Amino acid sequence: MKQSRHTLEQIFQAQVDNLTLTLQPFTIVKYQYVARYFVAYLRAEFPEICRLSQLRRDPHMLGFFRWLCELRPPIGNPTRRQRLLCLRRLLDDLAAQGHQLQPGLIIPEDLPTLPEYLPNSLWLKYSKELAIKTFWL
């Protein structure tokens, strides 16, 4: 598939439009957001990129991951993870449609870990034990 006839914005928007057939509106907003910000990042940092086939893991994708980490106000790991998953889905779908993309632009190790929380009952148990031990010391 020739990519030179369409801009990156048009390519990503067309893919997001395809997703509107099967996904909920709130989910589509997430895909629109990540597509818009990814293309804006590329335009600002790598204006020479005009085709998907030019994308490389380093520096383009790794730079975008870093950019997400440096946003102010900062976003949490769950939000960053969700945005990377959306972008990976868009890139995978575009590759499946015949766009020339390098494999492995986003790998599982790129996804931030999610926080692990203790269940409330355990937290209360340990906090009470700690309070009792602290009181009697």
Side-chain angles (χ1 to χ4, degrees), residues 36-121:
R36 184 172 52 247
Y37 278 90
F38 179 63
V39 172
Y41 164 79
L42 289 175
R43 291 284 176 248
E45 299 295 323
F46 304 98
E48 70 278 3
I49 299 294
C50 58
R51 294 186 317 274
L52 291 174
S53 62
Q54 294 174 297
L55 285 178
R56 301 290 179 263
R57 179 168 166 73
D58 189 11
H60 309 118
M61 302 310 293
L62 295 179
F64 182 67
F65 304 159
R66 194 173 311 104
W67 179 82
L68 283 175
C69 291
E70 295 170 352
L71 285 176
R72 295 293 175 246
I75 58 175
N77 280 358
T79 303
R80 264 198 344 267
R81 180 182 183 90
Q82 181 183 61
R83 290 183 184 165
L84 292 178
L85 287 171
C86 287
L87 182 57
R88 185 172 71 181
R89 162 96 190 261
L90 289 171
L91 293 172
D92 287 348
D93 288 352
L94 288 167
Q97 293 173 13
H99 289 275
Q100 299 291 321
L101 281 162
Q102 282 197 339
L105 291 174
I106 301 176
I107 59 175
E109 291 79 17
D110 295 330
L111 303 175
T113 57
L114 295 175
E116 295 183 30
Y117 299 104
L118 288 174
N120 283 339
S121 59

Side-chain angles (χ1 to χ4, degrees), residues 3-13 39 43 50:
Q3 298 174 17
S4 60
R5 295 178 186 237
H6 300 289
T7 65
L8 289 176
E9 291 87 351
Q10 292 169 329
I11 292 170
F12 276 96
Q13 186 56 51
V39 172
R43 291 284 176 248
C50 58

